[in-house]
Amino acid sequence: MAGMNEAKKRDFVSQLIVILEQNTQLLTDKGFDPTAKITQLQTELAAADDAEGRQREAMAAAKDATQLANSTLDAAYTDGSATVDLITGLLGKNNNLVLEIKKIRKPTKPKTKTEAEAEA
């Protein structure tokens, strides 16, 4: 089974079911009645198909949730930035409060080894 992808595994089970169905009499004559095994494999394959459908739904829901989270965060960031612009307009760009607020929006640079050691 190692190395077989999902499609190949699914195809293998499907083909095996057909082969067992087509050769039921031959196998029964040799002492193996494949009827129960055919039913089992059909049930397992149907369960795998159902599980894959639920997996696809979950993946789509996760993508939708990520998109919603990102767009909601973008809206909050845009509103926050507009508020900073308003405060800057009211207090002036050199006001200490404005300067402190603008610091929190600047991207942070990774700490150098020296800075990390100084904090330790």
Side-chain angles (χ1 to χ4, degrees):
M1 280 193 337
M4 269 196 164
N5 66 26
E6 182 182 332
K8 287 184 180 183
K9 289 178 185 178
R10 188 176 306 282
D11 187 51
F12 166 77
V13 174
S14 296
Q15 287 186 45
L16 182 59
I17 290 169
V18 171
I19 290 169
L20 292 174
E21 289 172 337
Q22 291 175 344
N23 294 281
T24 298
Q25 189 61 53
L26 172 66
L27 294 168
T28 301
D29 290 348
K30 295 293 183 178
F32 173 64
D33 181 358
T35 307
K37 185 55 68 177
I38 291 168
T39 301
Q40 177 187 355
L41 290 171
Q42 289 171 330
T43 301
E44 291 170 343
L45 189 58
D49 290 344
D50 185 54
E52 183 176 3
R54 288 193 312 271
Q55 179 185 28
R56 290 181 189 274
E57 289 171 4
M59 289 168 50
K63 287 179 182 179
D64 289 345
T66 299
Q67 186 178 20
L68 177 61
N70 288 340
S71 65
T72 303
L73 180 58
D74 288 346
Y77 185 83
T78 299
D79 289 342
S81 292
T83 303
V84 171
D85 291 343
L86 173 71
I87 293 170
T88 302
L90 292 172
L91 302 178
K93 65 181 183 179
N94 293 323
N95 179 277
N96 285 328
L97 177 61
V98 171
L99 295 174
E100 287 301 312
I101 292 172
K102 288 190 175 190
K103 283 182 189 178
I104 62 175
R105 189 165 55 179
K106 288 186 180 179
T108 56
K109 293 183 280 182
K111 293 180 182 174
T112 65
K113 185 177 178 182
T114 308
E115 290 171 332
E117 288 172 353
E119 284 185 0

